[in-house]
Amino acid sequence: MTLRFDRQGLMPAVIQDDESNEVLMVAFMNEEALRLTRETGYTHFYSRSRQKIWRKGEHSGHRQQVRAIFVNCEENSLLIRVVQEGGAACHEGYRSCYYRRLLPDDRYEVVASRVFDPVAVYGHSTPQRQPVTDLQQSQQEASPEEVSRGGKAGADEAVSRQLETLLRQLYTAYQYLRDHDLSEQSHTSRLLQEHNPTYLLGRLADELQELMGVLQGTHRHRDLQADTILEGSQVGYWLLLLATTHRLPYEEFLPHQALLAGYQQAVGEEQAVEQQQACLSALATAEPPRLVEGLRLGFALIGRACALAGLSPLEPARDDLEQMRRKGLVS
């Protein structure tokens, strides 16, 4: 056998239902994952974000029993036909990971129903985007037990935990791209290898200006909510790259707390402009306390933008994480 794994020792594997021919998911295998798959008869994969082997269904119980393994003509990818146990291959609770159709206007249309509730299985979820006008409405993001325990406070706590999970996952991915040169596969990794905070700060300034323009009605791509998600996620991206470049521990700047504080605090337009300027001024220094101050001001501005646009404070981070999933940088 002369399988050709890539430079990271990985190979994509397309997982297909043996009976219906439906494509269930795509994941990566290294030699060990493939060996375990063949030896046990159940699919094993390699998580690039966690840097470890995992067996499909090890938490959910939705295992994949292997029926046959096929190799493509160039010997650099696999097609594995399986019997999907439990009815769902996607960690979001859908039978297939391809449960959304891409529409001409770049929106997604969900075309399937969930087989299981990911909150009940994993203790977290990435729900579909639903505009909200108040943090209290984000009780829909909390489990019934959390809401019944604490009412609004319980829902707020649940949203805070979900936001922290999203931002920590993003920050961990950026740290990995900083510490492992994946420049050929990832523009983000290339930026982090260059270690150029001046360039990152300049890009942040541009995105902050565009975010302010969205809120003022002077910068438009589609509509207020879609543009706020777009520009808010971009601001968050450059803020996290700056934090990654300066090697700040997540616990030092706690972006989820800053974002929620900005979401809950009524800030006038003039004060927002002052915060924007203070954010950039603080991040122009190399002093850790000032860097932390600048990062927190930046995330607070994202929160304020979400509140003004009637969005859940989770939306920009979800968008950023979804883009990284599409690029295969997180599982």
Side-chain angles (χ1 to χ4, degrees):
M1 183 171 63
T2 56
L3 292 178
R4 298 168 56 192
F5 293 87
D6 67 16
R7 292 173 58 184
Q8 282 72 49
L10 302 176
M11 177 177 294
V14 178
I15 310 302
Q16 184 179 37
D17 187 274
D18 190 50
E19 182 176 348
S20 68
N21 293 324
E22 181 181 14
V23 174
L24 300 176
M25 58 181 286
V26 176
F28 285 85
M29 291 182 169
N30 60 9
E31 289 190 42
E32 183 183 359
L34 178 57
R35 177 182 62 79
L36 289 170
T37 296
R38 301 177 74 190
E39 288 180 357
T40 65
Y42 289 90
T43 55
H44 288 68
F45 304 106
Y46 183 79
S47 169
R48 292 170 295 174
S49 60
R50 292 176 290 166
Q51 294 290 288
K52 61 180 290 189
I53 301 288
W54 60 284
R55 177 177 59 79
K56 180 63 181 174
E58 62 188 21
H59 296 299
S60 67
H62 292 227
R63 302 183 301 174
Q64 293 171 340
Q65 188 179 127
V66 176
R67 284 288 183 260
I69 301 177
F70 298 87
V71 182
N72 74 326
C73 56
E74 295 184 347
E75 299 180 302
N76 60 3
S77 69
L78 301 172
L79 171 66
I80 303 180
R81 295 178 66 90
V82 304
V83 173
Q84 178 63 56
E85 298 181 2
C90 180
H91 74 286
E92 292 292 345
Y94 295 89
R95 173 164 179 76
S96 168
C97 291
Y98 299 93
Y99 60 88
R100 294 170 295 187
R101 178 185 291 119
L102 180 62
L103 300 178
D105 62 359
D106 291 335
R107 290 184 301 111
Y108 293 146
E109 176 188 12
V110 176
V111 295
S113 299
R114 274 197 168 110
V115 175
F116 68 83
D117 180 3
V119 174
V121 173
Y122 304 114
H124 62 85
S125 176
T126 309
Q128 298 306 307
R129 290 177 184 163
Q130 297 183 13
V132 294
T133 56
D134 186 88
L135 188 58
Q136 185 173 10
Q137 287 180 276
S138 292
Q139 289 184 2
Q140 61 186 322
E141 312 286 359
S143 68
E145 293 79 9
E146 289 168 327
V147 174
S148 63
R149 278 201 309 269
K152 180 179 184 300
D156 291 0
E157 182 183 348
V159 172
S160 177
R161 285 200 303 271
Q162 289 185 44
L163 184 58
E164 181 178 5
T165 297
L166 291 169
L167 290 173
R168 279 188 183 275
Q169 189 172 359
L170 280 169
Y171 197 49
T172 299
Y174 295 144
Q175 289 174 315
Y176 180 82
L177 292 173
R178 177 197 65 201
D179 298 335
H180 299 78
D181 190 353
L182 302 180
S183 299
E184 293 185 6
Q185 295 82 27
S186 167
H187 177 62
T188 298
S189 184
R190 184 161 61 252
L191 288 172
L192 292 169
Q193 301 303 315
E194 293 172 354
H195 192 83
N196 187 348
T198 301
Y199 173 79
L200 301 180
L201 184 61
R203 293 303 307 273
L204 172 64
D206 292 341
E207 297 300 339
L208 276 171
Q209 191 61 40
E210 292 191 358
L211 180 61
M212 296 298 293
V214 168
L215 299 178
Q216 294 165 355
T218 59
H219 182 80
R220 278 286 182 272
H221 296 287
R222 288 168 52 193
D223 57 60
L224 175 60
Q225 291 188 337
D227 292 348
T228 300
I229 292 172
L230 172 65
E231 302 301 346
S233 68
Q234 283 296 300
V235 170
Y237 173 77
W238 295 108
L239 285 169
L240 288 179
L241 289 199
L242 279 163
T244 306
T245 297
H246 287 290
R247 297 184 175 273
L248 289 176
Y250 184 95
E251 289 72 16
E252 284 194 15
F253 63 104
L254 296 172
H256 65 286
Q257 290 185 0
L259 195 152
L260 288 176
Y263 187 90
Q264 295 169 319
Q265 183 180 10
V267 176
E269 184 174 322
E270 184 176 342
Q271 187 178 355
V273 172
E274 292 175 357
Q275 285 188 3
Q276 177 186 0
Q277 295 170 346
C279 165
L280 296 172
S281 176
L283 290 172
T285 73
E287 304 168 10
R290 292 280 286 154
L291 290 172
V292 169
E293 177 188 351
L295 290 168
R296 291 184 63 83
L297 284 170
F299 279 102
L301 286 169
I302 298 174
R304 173 185 179 271
C306 288
L308 291 176
L311 289 166
S312 163
L314 302 169
E315 293 297 337
R318 282 182 183 158
D319 187 75
D320 221 0
L321 197 58
E322 182 62 31
Q323 291 187 48
M324 294 197 72
R325 285 199 179 107
R326 288 182 209 161
K327 296 172 184 175
L329 297 174
V330 296
S331 59

